[in-house]
Every structure is written in structure tokens, then in C-alpha cells.
Amino acid sequence: MQENKIIKLTVRDVRFPTSLEQHGSDAMHTDPDYSVAYVVLETDSDAALKGYGLTFTVGRGTEIGWTRKRSNSAGDSSHSECCLGFMGAGGGQEEQMLKEGYPAYTTSCAWLGYTDQQLTQLCSEALAQGWTKFKVKVGADLQDDIRRCSLIRKLIGPNNTLMIDANQRWDVNEAITWVTKLAEFHPLWIEEPTCPDDVLGHASISKALAPLGIGVATGEQCHNRVMFKQFLQAAALQFVQIDSCRVGSVNENLAIILMAAKFNVPVCPHAGGVGLCELVQHLILFDYISVSASLNNRMCEYVDHLHEHFESPTIIRNAHYIPPKDPGYSCEMLEESVQKHQYPDGEVWRAIEQQGKQ
């Protein structure tokens, strides 16, 4: 096998102005611009072989990834076997995924900055499209959370699934008190109720909320498998939320998936952002086909924006992720999109700057 050398590395700061319409808004990020540090590796291959990677941020953090010239998600060429190659291992599970797909839930309907009119319209549209699992952002104001959760529960009905997400907003006692007040809406889980590093705090919250039938979901901010090991050992979470970019890419996430299986805790990945749905779909397919072989209490987050900027965008059918057929890790972006949204000199950002001067 011929060995190829990397001859060029390009890092670009790509940002999308999602804050203009409050997409992505939550209790900790009121005006995020969903962004990536986007990396392209070029080789001396005769076939012009390239690798693509990205690390998602909410805008201001991109400078760190850009300056360090690194991406936690490895490239297109190096993962064609690693990801889709798993598909041969599961027999019936593989066939089921190709036919039915992997269950998804939507976060697109209930960002914290959305109006009641938006919530009503988006939930109604999602229900018509077959969605049965919905996540609501909470944590800024208790009475507002009660009102919004009441509205959404009435819209989706008693039999569909509701989750709530506080994005680390509370301390431990506040989380217990606040979620107890929201228990009447029967959420399946409270996501990121407190500081993502506080293992024992999450354990206390889990213990307190167990009688209410509410689990704790966390992990999107956990930076390595050791953190997940501690959460699992302490019974501090009931839903493992891996993130495709937060830890050391595929290998580290596979270790976490295997640990979750050992502790019999379902993996329900964090996604959305820029490219996270495209990346994490490979991990959930591996989990089901080669590890868990179960869909009990398992689902993957989906956010319906920015997929049009990718060469191989995520495919959703009947509220399920459909396995990708293109080789690779699905993180190659369209060059036109990269150029338009490159910060701060891309066409989109120049137009915003010019509008601000008027």
C-alpha cells in the first residue's frame, strides 16, 4: 500500500449568524453564532486525497481552535473504513437500520429565545412530519419555563416524549427544586442541570429526581472517557450524551460507548450545531449494530439547520436518521458555503458589518 504524506494544512474560521433569529438560544447562550474551526489536510496522493475535519463552537471559542490549528474530528479519507465499515457486523440490526433508521428527537422547536407563536407553529409542523420526541430549553426563569412547558406538553399530547435542558444553569439544590416544579409535565430527563464537571452533584440530582421518574442526561461537555467513567460509577447520569467533537474523536467515543454498555446506560448523543448530526450518526449506528443491539430509551438529537452546507448532509425520514451511503465521516463542507461564511471576511459577515454601519 502506497504511503501518502500530508503536504498542506488549512484551517478556516467558519461562522453562521444564527443569533439573528435566536436559533440555538438557551439559558447560557442567549445569542450564539454556530461556528466551526474547519480543517482540510491535503496529501501528495495522485488522486488528490484530502481529509476534512471540524470542531463545533458557538462563535467566540473558534479563535482557540483556529489558533491551535487542530480539529478533534478526523478526516474524510481516514474514517471511510472506521465508520461505515462497522455496518457489516450486526446482521439483522444492519438491515433494520437501512430500512427504518435510528430514532431521533428534535430540539428545533423550542429554543429559549423563540416566541410562543414560533413554539406553536414549529411543534405543530413537527408533529405533522411524524416527530414524537421533543426537547425544550429551560433554566432562565421558572415561571416562564412552567408556561412554555405547559404549552408544549399540550401541543404534543400526553403520549409523546418531552425532555428539558438547562445548559448547566443551576447549582445542585436549585436544579432539584426547579425540576421538581416542572415534574408535572413528565419530562424523561433533565439535561445538564448543573456544572458539567460536578460528578457528585449530578449524582445527588439523580438520586433526588429518581422518585419523580426523571433521569439526568449529560456528557456533551465532558472532555474525556475518564469523566464518563466517573459519572457512570457514581450513578450520576441515566443517559450518556456523547458529542462527536468534544472528546478525542472516534476512538475515545467508542470507549465511552463500550463503558455505557457495561453499565447498561443508554447512549443518546448530543448533536445539532454545525456538522454534529453528520458526524454523530456514524457513532449511533456503531452503537446499535455492534454494541447495544437495543433501541430501548435510545435516541439521537437532531436540529434542522445548516445541513445544506455539507457535501453529504444528514438524511432524516419519519423522525429517524437514515444511514449515510457516502464514504467518510460526512464532515466535508461545500467550498462555496465556507467562502461565504468565513469570518470575518466572508460575504455574509461583510454584509452584516455593512448593515450595522447604516
Side-chain angles (χ1 to χ4, degrees), residues 20 36 51 70 90-91 185 201 227 230-231 249:
L20 297 180
V36 290
R70 68 175 178 84
F185 306 111
M227 288 291 298
Q230 294 171 347
F231 272 98
S249 191

Side-chain angles (χ1 to χ4, degrees), residues 66-199:
W66 186 87
T67 302
R68 293 181 180 177
K69 292 184 171 61
R70 68 175 178 84
S71 172
N72 289 333
S73 297
D76 183 69
S77 60
S78 62
H79 284 286
S80 57
E81 292 181 295
C82 184
C83 296
L84 295 186
F86 290 138
M87 302 285 290
Q93 292 96 279
E94 177 185 348
E95 184 177 345
Q96 180 183 350
M97 285 295 99
L98 290 171
K99 182 179 179 181
E100 300 176 11
Y102 195 97
Y105 72 87
T106 179
T107 307
S108 298
C109 300
W111 296 110
L112 199 62
Y114 283 0
T115 65
D116 287 2
Q117 182 179 358
Q118 285 176 292
L119 297 179
T120 301
Q121 177 183 341
L122 292 170
C123 282
S124 299
E125 290 174 355
L127 287 165
Q129 294 166 3
W131 291 92
T132 61
K133 302 174 179 65
F134 299 78
K135 189 165 78 179
V136 182
K137 295 292 185 175
V138 299
D141 179 89
L142 178 56
Q143 294 307 312
D144 189 55
D145 287 347
I146 291 173
R147 181 184 57 78
R148 292 168 68 253
C149 286
S150 176
L151 171 63
I152 292 174
R153 176 51 83 186
K154 288 177 183 177
L155 285 169
I156 70 174
N159 297 323
N160 286 327
T161 304
L162 178 71
M163 291 82 71
I164 55 178
D165 182 0
N167 289 96
Q168 319 162 36
R169 183 63 183 263
W170 306 314
D171 63 29
V172 172
N173 291 330
E174 187 179 21
I176 295 169
T177 300
W178 201 304
V179 177
T180 299
K181 298 282 188 181
L182 299 176
E184 64 178 295
F185 306 111
H186 305 292
L188 175 66
W189 73 53
I190 172 62
E191 184 173 329
E192 287 201 314
T194 193
C195 172
D197 297 332
D198 188 356
V199 176

Side-chain angles (χ1 to χ4, degrees), residues 293-308:
S294 171
L295 295 178
N296 183 41
N297 263 345
R298 286 171 168 83
M299 65 190 93
C300 184
E301 184 171 20
Y302 178 72
V303 177
D304 187 18
H305 61 209
L306 305 177
H307 305 290
E308 67 273 16

Side-chain angles (χ1 to χ4, degrees), residues 265-294:
V265 177
V267 175
C268 299
H270 169 252
V274 183
L276 298 187
C277 296
E278 278 70 24
L279 298 177
V280 82
Q281 63 185 334
H282 298 275
L283 302 176
I284 57 176
L285 292 171
F286 168 77
D287 182 28
Y288 177 66
I289 293 170
S290 298
V291 182
S292 71
S294 171

